[in-house]
Structures are given as structure tokens and as C-alpha cells.
Amino acid sequence: MKKGVPRMKTGTGVAEARAAGSRQLPSRSSRVLPTAITLITVALTMGMTGSPEAMGGETAEQTSVRQGRSEAEMERLWDSVIHDKVQDHGLEFPAVEGGADTDDPGTWRPPSPGIASHTVLSHLSILTRPVSSALKLLSVMTSAGLDDYVVVGPLPQGSLPPLSEEEGMDLDRWEEELDEITDTKSTPGNIRLLIDGEEFFPRLEEAIAAAGESVDLQIYIYDNDDYALQFSDLIRERSKDLDVRIIFDGLGSILARGVYPKSIPDDHRPPASMSDYLREGSNVRVRRLANPWFTFNHTKSIIVDSGIAFLGGMNIGREYRYDWHDLMFEVHGPVIGPLGMDFESTWAYSGLLGDLSFLLRRSYRARVLPGERYYPVRILRTTSRRAEIYLAQIAAVQRARKFIYIENPYISDDRFLSELIRARRRGVDVRVVIPFRANWPVMQRSNLLAANTMLENGIKVYLYPRMSHLKAAVYDGWVCLGLANLDKGSLRFNREINMATSDPEVTAEVMERIFDKDFEESTLMTDPRDTRLIDLINELLADLL
């Protein structure tokens, strides 16, 4: 469903809505195109999972030569095959400008090294992960199709009401409702905010340097830039004394390595394979996750000695360390237990036995640090079977009476946007912070249409002056933080973890250190932004991501 334009009168046509430069709520038939695109993508992907020879791949002689090659060498072999096939059809891999930072966005280079081989191997991995792969496919197809036909209903019309003077929702009752809505329970723990790379990475390095037993790192993007190598050198050295395990998302990391920040040193030479680099001369154990059906594991979770955890939006790379506005938080207490089990499950699943080894995963027990204040913290997830983050936040928007403050880099979920509009029409103070320029051009243009729609409906939209990758929300005092974007992938089928709490001290810190500060540093939108015809295509693509 497209975003609503409630200021239009009933009966306003599609052409008029598009001319207004806003998102709209389309009819069921208008979902056929994106649904068809998704299904065609799946079909083409399945067609790529045949034998290497059917793809113009390795011969028997090449296969024998391949044995014993490094991961990087195997990737180069596969990609040379794919690259040759593309050139046979008269196509090229052009360089396209675009990128990561608002003022100096960097240069996008097609991440062809590794992407073809990884795509093929990801879908061959279905053979050892039939159950989990089937669930992911079902989730993707449902999200692309029937899930989007949910009727939102007409949006309120007329003049905007004044802001409500009611008290916020009853948070004790809200937490009880969340138990039922999400089928989750709160666990004792505490949260310490670490805002931007200058706070997070020195603290992470300090924790790793002081570790005595283990470091378990599950990350979406493990880049190959200069900071990633510096961090890797620390990890490799510590692996001589610690048990160090690293999991990273294969396709996410490959795609990210096609974007080079302008701030990177001119003499930087990235290694061909970060997996090989991490293993070389160390005891680091590394597993790269497959991406069947182009689904991602978006998790960024690091656990040190089973007693300190870090969770949030930052990956391992230069832009997170130096350039972007982002959030991680340090977690202590029993709530680390479920995070540890999540790591163990992912580690087992990514092993050679796939779904079978998942059944043999080891148990996990958090180490509770003495002398600390603990309060209820709720873990919310997105998986192929559960949409807890989505359900919780939709319900929070619907129940909010006083205010809703949100900061997120990508807002493309139609249902969520329509509920924000309804909340403002109830008199709720709704404010949203988005980056002035997002790092992905498709999402940037989609954000623009969403911003126009929110502005037209009385929602205050703040444009943060540089790339903000921070994901935070406060609903009448209930805080939800983590890694999930407000897009289809994060809310429906990619793996995500958020944390939520109603603790007043956490709420006060989030309000003061994130929202008060970012409202002040951002520019408040007062007029709709100009749009182009191509934005309609970007909007369709954003709804698939």
C-alpha cells in the first residue's frame, strides 16, 4: 500500500496524487507490479542454482584446480565466469556516482568481486537448510503479496486538531499488553547509550582488550576499509588468548564494499577476502552467512565474556567509526542470555550441517555483573516467522496519547506511515528525524515522498544535516532502540533485534541525548520537497526492500 495523502478529497485520482509529490494508498491492483517483480526475481534466482556448467561455470579441470584455493580465489574464479557471460551479451558494469555521506557521498563501484559466487552458493545452501530457507521464501512472498493487501481504511480529513494535553499512555498497562501482542516477556538488564563512533568504538576496543574468555561478534557488514583492518588486527591478536568467533552477512558485506568513503586514505589497499584476512596468523573462527532469496541477517550484536553486550546500528567500517551519526548501546544483566542464544543459534545454523546443526546448538548462560541496577528490558525480533518489532511499534503508535518521537534512516512502510498520520490527527505530537540525504539513493527518494506526506498531515519532519543511521523511538515514554529500519525488510523478513523499556531514566537519557540534540541540529521542513517522475519507480523499489 502506498502512503496516504489525506489532504486530497475522496475520489482524487492517481494522477493528481502523484502530481502532488506524495505517497498514496493504492488499490489492490497496483500491488501486482511489485509482487510480480519479486516473484520473477525468485524465479530467476532459482534458475541460477543449477550446475556450474549450466551457468557457464567451472569445467572438471577447473574444479580440480580449485581444490585448496582460498575463499578469495574461489570468488574470483566464479566472478570471472559471470563477468564473461555479461560481456558476451554486450553489457558492462558502469561506475555510478552516489553514496554514503551527505556532503561528500563517496563513489559507488559495482561490488562484482564475490557477489556472483556468493549468490550461487547462497542458493545451493538450501540443500542443507531446507526448513529455514522455505520459511524465508514464504516470508518474502507473503510480504510482497497478500500482506500488502491489508485494508488501512480512509484517513482522517479536515483541519488538524491542536496538540493533545492528555497524559501519556499507562506504561504499566502497556507493558502487560505487549506481553500479549508480541508473545514476549521482559528480562532484567540495563542499557547505556553510546552515540556515534567516537563513543562506541573506543569502548568496544577497551572491552575486547580487557576480555578474559571470549568475544562473539555477529555483524551485518564487516567492511574491508582501513578501520576494519585496524579493528581486525586487534581481534586477531586477542584470539591468541581468547575464543573469538565472528559471523557476518555475506551479501550485506559484499554490497557495502562497493562504496568507498571519500575520507578513506588514498594509499589504502583492501584485502581480497576479509574472512581470509581475519583467519591469517590467528585463531579467529569466521563464518559468512548465506542469503537465500536475497534475505539478510541485519543483526549487529557483540558479546564479551558473556557479561557485556553491545547492540545497535553500527557495523565494522570507517563510516560508522568516523562519519555517520549512529547509535549503539551497552547491555548488562540477564537479558544478555537471549542475545547469547541468538548468537549460538546463528553460529550453528551457518555451519556445514545447516538446519540439522541448529538442533545441536549449545546452551548459553549470561554472566551477571554484581552491584548494578537492573530494570525490565524487552527483546523484540524480526525473523521469517515473527514480526515482533513491527507489531509492537504499530500498537505503540495506535495507543500513544501525548507524543511520538522517531529517528530512522529509512521510512517506507505504508502501514506505519498511515498510523503516524492517524496519531497526529488524534492530537498526538508526532516528530520524525530523517537524514537530509540517505546513503542509498532509492531510499533517499522514497524518504522524500514520505516526508512530503508527513508534512502535509501536520507531522514535524526534521532533516538531519549528515547521514544519520540511528534507529530510536519514544512513544509516551516507552523507548524502542536497535537496528531495525522502518522498511519492509527490517519489519517483515530480515533478522533484526531491538530492545525496549519503559524505565524513566533510560527515557530521559534518550530524550536529552538523542531527540533534544538532534531536533536542534536538524532543519525543520516547512515546505514540500520537489519530486521527479523517477521517484515513483524509486517508491516501488523501496516497498520491496
Side-chain angles (χ1 to χ4, degrees):
M1 290 171 285
K2 299 285 110 194
K3 275 58 177 183
V5 188
R7 72 173 185 177
M8 298 188 306
K9 295 180 180 179
T10 303
T12 303
V14 172
E16 289 83 351
R18 289 177 175 174
S22 303
R23 286 176 169 259
Q24 66 181 77
L25 294 165
S27 64
R28 172 177 175 141
S29 60
S30 66
R31 295 302 304 175
V32 172
L33 176 59
T35 301
I37 292 173
T38 301
L39 294 178
I40 290 171
T41 301
V42 169
L44 290 175
T45 302
M46 293 178 67
M48 293 178 64
T49 60
S51 66
E53 290 80 2
M55 294 183 59
E58 296 177 273
T59 63
E61 181 180 359
Q62 287 174 316
T63 301
S64 63
V65 172
R66 174 174 54 80
Q67 295 176 354
R69 290 178 183 235
S70 69
E71 177 183 338
E73 290 172 320
M74 290 178 64
E75 288 180 346
R76 284 195 293 269
L77 176 60
W78 271 100
D79 289 321
S80 65
V81 171
I82 301 299
H83 190 273
D84 290 345
K85 289 300 178 184
V86 170
Q87 288 188 328
D88 287 345
H89 289 83
L91 302 177
E92 297 179 353
F93 292 111
V96 180
E97 294 298 318
D101 189 66
T102 299
D103 299 317
D104 198 2
T107 301
W108 169 265
R109 294 179 176 85
S112 55
I115 194 169
S117 61
H118 180 76
T119 300
V120 173
L121 294 174
S122 288
H123 292 85
L124 289 175
S125 73
I126 293 171
L127 298 175
T128 59
R129 300 173 181 89
V131 176
S132 55
S133 297
L135 288 173
K136 289 179 181 178
L137 176 59
L138 179 63
S139 177
V140 170
M141 294 180 68
T142 301
S143 182
L146 297 177
D147 188 53
D148 284 320
Y149 299 143
V150 176
V151 176
V152 173
L155 293 171
Q157 303 291 319
S159 60
L160 290 168
L163 295 181
S164 172
E165 296 183 1
E166 289 186 57
E167 294 295 323
M169 59 182 170
D170 184 327
L171 295 180
D172 291 334
R173 182 178 177 182
W174 164 241
E175 291 287 357
E176 293 175 358
E177 286 186 274
L178 272 179
D179 293 347
E180 301 296 326
I181 293 169
T182 63
D183 193 25
T184 63
K185 296 288 185 181
S186 296
T187 305
N190 61 39
I191 294 171
R192 172 194 170 196
L193 302 185
L194 297 167
I195 300 174
D196 292 342
E198 65 185 15
E199 286 190 13
F200 167 60
F201 284 102
R203 173 64 188 123
L204 174 62
E205 292 171 6
E206 176 186 44
I208 292 174
E213 298 176 2
S214 63
V215 175
D216 292 331
L217 189 152
Q218 183 177 184
I219 209 77
Y220 175 55
I221 293 170
Y222 204 117
D223 218 328
N224 62 354
D225 55 35
D226 59 324
Y227 179 73
L229 297 188
Q230 175 186 325
F231 180 80
S232 298
D233 290 343
L234 169 63
I235 286 288
R236 294 196 304 179
E237 182 63 28
R238 295 278 23 230
S239 73
K240 298 174 182 178
D241 305 309
L242 307 173
D243 181 18
V244 177
R245 296 181 291 175
I246 296 177
I247 306 170
F248 63 86
D249 188 87
L251 191 54
S253 295
I254 293 170
L255 290 172
R257 292 169 194 163
V259 180
Y260 299 96
K262 291 289 188 181
S263 61
I264 198 168
D266 292 336
D267 60 352
H268 174 66
R269 296 295 179 268
S273 166
M274 283 306 297
S275 297
D276 291 344
Y277 185 85
L278 285 163
R279 294 186 185 109
E280 184 179 357
S282 77
N283 297 317
V284 176
R285 291 183 286 166
V286 185
R287 290 184 179 176
R288 184 173 69 173
L289 296 177
N291 301 92
W293 320 121
F294 298 104
T295 58
F296 298 85
N297 188 324
H298 200 233
T299 304
K300 299 105 174 174
S301 172
I302 305 167
I303 304 176
V304 179
D305 285 349
S306 303
I308 301 172
F310 300 93
L311 194 72
M314 296 191 210
N315 296 292
I316 304 300
R318 162 170 273 272
E319 55 265 62
Y320 304 95
R321 175 61 182 88
Y322 299 111
D323 301 331
W324 290 4
H325 183 42
D326 211 337
L327 171 68
M328 294 290 283
F329 42 96
E330 183 173 338
V331 182
H332 296 175
V335 74
I336 293 178
L339 296 179
M341 278 305 303
D342 181 80
F343 182 91
E344 294 297 341
S345 298
T346 306
W347 183 263
Y349 162 80
S350 60
L352 292 176
L353 298 180
D355 287 347
L356 180 60
S357 62
F358 177 82
L359 300 175
L360 305 175
R361 67 192 186 279
R362 70 189 192 188
S363 61
Y364 193 95
R365 184 173 182 178
R367 182 167 60 88
V368 179
L369 302 179
E372 298 202 7
R373 184 180 79 91
Y374 295 122
Y375 42 82
V377 177
R378 187 184 303 268
I379 293 177
L380 297 170
R381 292 184 173 87
T382 301
T383 69
S384 57
R385 297 178 296 109
R386 303 176 68 87
E388 297 163 2
I389 298 171
Y390 187 49
L391 293 173
Q393 293 197 93
I394 286 288
V397 175
Q398 293 172 335
R399 287 160 175 75
R401 299 175 184 174
K402 187 71 175 177
F403 71 92
I404 298 171
Y405 293 169
I406 293 171
E407 185 161 351
N408 204 282
Y410 317 117
I411 301 180
S412 64
D413 184 80
D414 308 312
R415 171 82 184 282
F416 191 85
L417 181 55
S418 69
E419 294 296 345
L420 288 180
I421 292 170
R422 292 175 190 278
R424 177 60 191 91
R425 293 281 175 171
R426 295 196 307 269
V428 178
D429 180 8
V430 182
R431 307 185 191 187
V432 176
V433 182
I434 57 176
F436 176 76
R437 183 177 299 164
N439 59 314
W440 292 107
V442 167
M443 300 307 293
Q444 161 66 18
R445 303 306 297 182
S446 177
N447 275 357
L448 183 150
L449 295 180
N452 284 352
T453 299
M454 289 188 285
L455 178 65
E456 291 163 1
N457 288 277
I459 295 174
K460 292 184 178 180
V461 181
Y462 294 81
L463 303 178
Y464 194 78
R466 56 193 174 100
M467 175 57 193
S468 174
H469 195 247
L470 187 151
K471 298 94 185 277
V474 183
Y475 306 87
D476 282 356
W478 179 70
V479 172
C480 188
L481 310 168
L483 19 138
N485 304 314
L486 295 175
D487 57 26
K488 179 171 291 184
S490 285
L491 297 176
R492 312 295 180 88
F493 49 81
N494 291 335
R495 287 188 66 86
E496 306 278 358
I497 301 177
N498 273 18
M499 281 192 170
T501 183
S502 297
D503 181 75
E505 291 187 16
V506 176
T507 300
E509 185 182 13
V510 170
M511 295 290 286
E512 179 182 355
R513 298 195 60 209
I514 296 178
F515 287 106
D516 289 349
K517 188 171 183 292
D518 289 358
F519 288 154
E520 184 177 350
E521 292 185 9
S522 301
T523 300
L524 178 64
M525 277 185 65
T526 56
D527 298 298
R529 309 281 292 183
D530 292 335
T531 58
R532 305 191 298 258
L533 181 61
I534 191 66
D535 292 337
L536 301 175
I537 298 175
N538 286 324
E539 182 188 358
L540 286 174
L541 293 174
D543 280 342
L544 295 174
L545 300 177

